[in-house]
Amino acid sequence: MSVEAAVRAKAEAALSRQRLPLPAALSANRIHWPAAIALVLFHLGATLAFWPFFFSWSGVVVALLGLYVFGTLGINLCYHRLLTHRGFVCPKWLEYSFAILGMCCLQHTPAYWVAIHRRHHQFADAQDDPHSPLAGFFWGHFGWVVANNDDLKDSVVTQRYAKDLIRDPFYAGLENSVAAVVIILASWAFFFVAGFAASWLMGGTLDEAVQFGASIFVWGVFVRTVLVWHISWSVNSIAHLWGYRNYATGEGSRNNFFVGFISNGEGWHNNHHAHPNAAMHGHRWWEFDVTYRTIRILALLGLARDIVMPPRYTADSGEGGQ
Ligand SMILES: [Zn+2]
Ligand SMILES: [Zn+2]
């Protein structure tokens, strides 16, 4: 390691140990009660899944598939790599469909999510970062979601960071809360109706169909939503605290195996901070990135193009070395 790299490594190590103050614009009334209540209710709802009435192996499968369909396609691929960072281009009908899947994850609208995330990249691990875990692990994980932060007010932050989305009538329309509620309720109804219909069509009684529909609902909505939340939040919290670094990025981002695995590729977060626009987050051979592989499959099908790639990673490229 060169002297310069050693000095940089030391400065970065010091950075990761420093305790950040919370964002200055937190209002005195710190709790955003609607978000806090929703969070608690969804976690309680998810615990129903293990009550025998609601448990079914089909429900488990639906929840796991839902992690990919809603979390990977909706959040990772669409909200993050496509809309926030423009890491590739896909047909509008497909982009909008993926955005609807993202909406169903209850992580806010595309424009707001994009705005918050762009602000995160601008101020990563500084006081104005919306969710740095250097201000506390639980703050970075979900505290920021249930806090009243005046800097993150919808109209202010979307106008500043997501003008490109707001100019698109589709995304502007999704900012309308009625549209958002209709989409989300329709997705919830879909899970119950699909479970009910499947049981009914296979000769189940009315009681059995209701029970199976309820099971698919609890697993497909409550469990899936809560798991996708924690996976997304882990990228913000765990992957800014623990793991290894390929690049000296000047903030605390890390490549974390656990988060890389559970999030289908978002846990190679130090790579991502080093090259934010790259659609490919896994840069070394073991950094398997399901989201990027999905984008490649879309490209093979003629449904993705202009995929932004990172410069080829080499250990002695001068960027790594830790
Ligand atoms: Zn980050
Ligand atoms: Zn990002």
Side-chain angles (χ1 to χ4, degrees):
M1 187 186 283
S2 69
V3 174
E4 192 195 358
V7 168
R8 200 165 49 201
K10 205 171 165 191
E12 292 226 333
L15 173 75
S16 65
R17 281 197 298 271
Q18 99 193 5
R19 173 93 182 193
L20 267 187
L22 290 169
L26 278 188
S27 43
N29 172 21
R30 282 189 175 183
I31 303 280
H32 183 254
W33 285 106
I37 291 167
L39 230 71
V40 170
L41 288 180
F42 265 74
H43 281 78
L44 289 175
T47 63
L48 290 177
F50 298 98
W51 189 14
F53 181 85
F54 292 109
F55 182 85
S56 69
W57 286 108
S58 304
V60 175
V61 171
V62 165
L64 292 177
L65 283 176
L67 294 185
Y68 178 80
V69 172
F70 294 92
T72 299
L73 298 181
I75 299 294
N76 302 357
L77 185 147
C78 181
Y79 271 29
H80 191 203
R81 304 192 195 191
L82 176 56
L83 298 180
T84 305
H85 296 296
R86 304 293 179 190
F88 64 103
V89 174
C90 73
K92 280 293 173 192
W93 65 266
L94 187 61
E95 175 185 315
Y96 293 158
S97 306
F98 286 146
I100 298 284
L101 295 176
M103 287 280 292
C104 297
C105 294
L106 299 189
Q107 294 191 18
H108 226 293
T109 57
Y112 189 72
W113 198 103
V114 164
I116 296 291
H117 191 68
R118 286 178 180 165
R119 187 177 170 89
H120 165 63
H121 277 269
Q122 184 182 7
F123 295 109
D125 289 329
Q127 190 181 6
D128 285 337
D129 184 339
H131 44 60
S132 174
L134 300 188
F137 175 83
F138 290 108
W139 167 259
H141 196 67
F142 67 83
W144 70 279
V145 175
V146 298
N148 268 321
N149 183 347
D150 287 341
D151 277 344
L152 305 186
K153 281 198 184 310
D154 277 25
S155 50
V156 178
V157 86
T158 46
Q159 277 302 327
R160 182 164 172 201
Y161 290 97
K163 269 210 167 89
D164 51 331
L165 272 90
I166 291 299
R167 271 199 293 267
D168 182 323
F170 177 78
Y171 294 114
L174 291 182
E175 291 301 296
N176 166 351
S177 56
V178 176
V181 169
V182 168
I183 288 168
I184 289 162
L185 290 181
S187 77
W188 293 356
F190 168 80
F191 282 96
F192 178 80
V193 171
F196 182 93
S199 174
W200 186 261
L201 290 172
M202 286 192 290
T205 64
L206 182 61
D207 283 355
E208 286 167 344
V210 167
Q211 182 174 2
F212 192 65
S215 172
I216 297 299
F217 175 82
V218 165
W219 282 90
V221 175
F222 289 134
V223 175
R224 183 260 311 171
T225 301
V226 166
L227 288 178
V228 172
W229 276 347
H230 283 283
I231 289 169
S232 297
W233 296 342
S234 294
V235 179
N236 299 334
S237 59
I238 296 173
H240 267 267
L241 287 175
W242 299 293
Y244 63 92
R245 293 163 65 76
N246 289 337
Y247 303 96
T249 47
E251 24 64 9
S253 62
R254 299 281 194 273
N255 291 330
N256 182 288
F257 276 100
F258 173 69
V259 181
F261 174 70
I262 61 167
S263 68
N264 283 338
E266 297 285 282
W268 314 121
H269 199 56
N270 172 246
N271 295 346
H272 172 55
H273 271 275
H275 299 289
N277 300 113
M280 180 186 181
H281 289 193
H283 294 183
R284 292 167 123 170
W285 66 265
W286 66 80
E287 294 166 350
F288 190 58
D289 184 353
V290 173
T291 307
Y292 171 67
R293 291 289 148 207
T294 303
I295 294 168
R296 278 284 158 207
I297 290 168
L298 289 177
L300 282 176
L301 297 172
L303 294 172
R305 61 185 167 80
D306 300 338
I307 300 174
V308 180
M309 298 298 286
R312 192 173 158 72
Y313 177 84
T314 53
D316 55 0
S317 63
E319 290 187 285
Q322 287 191 57

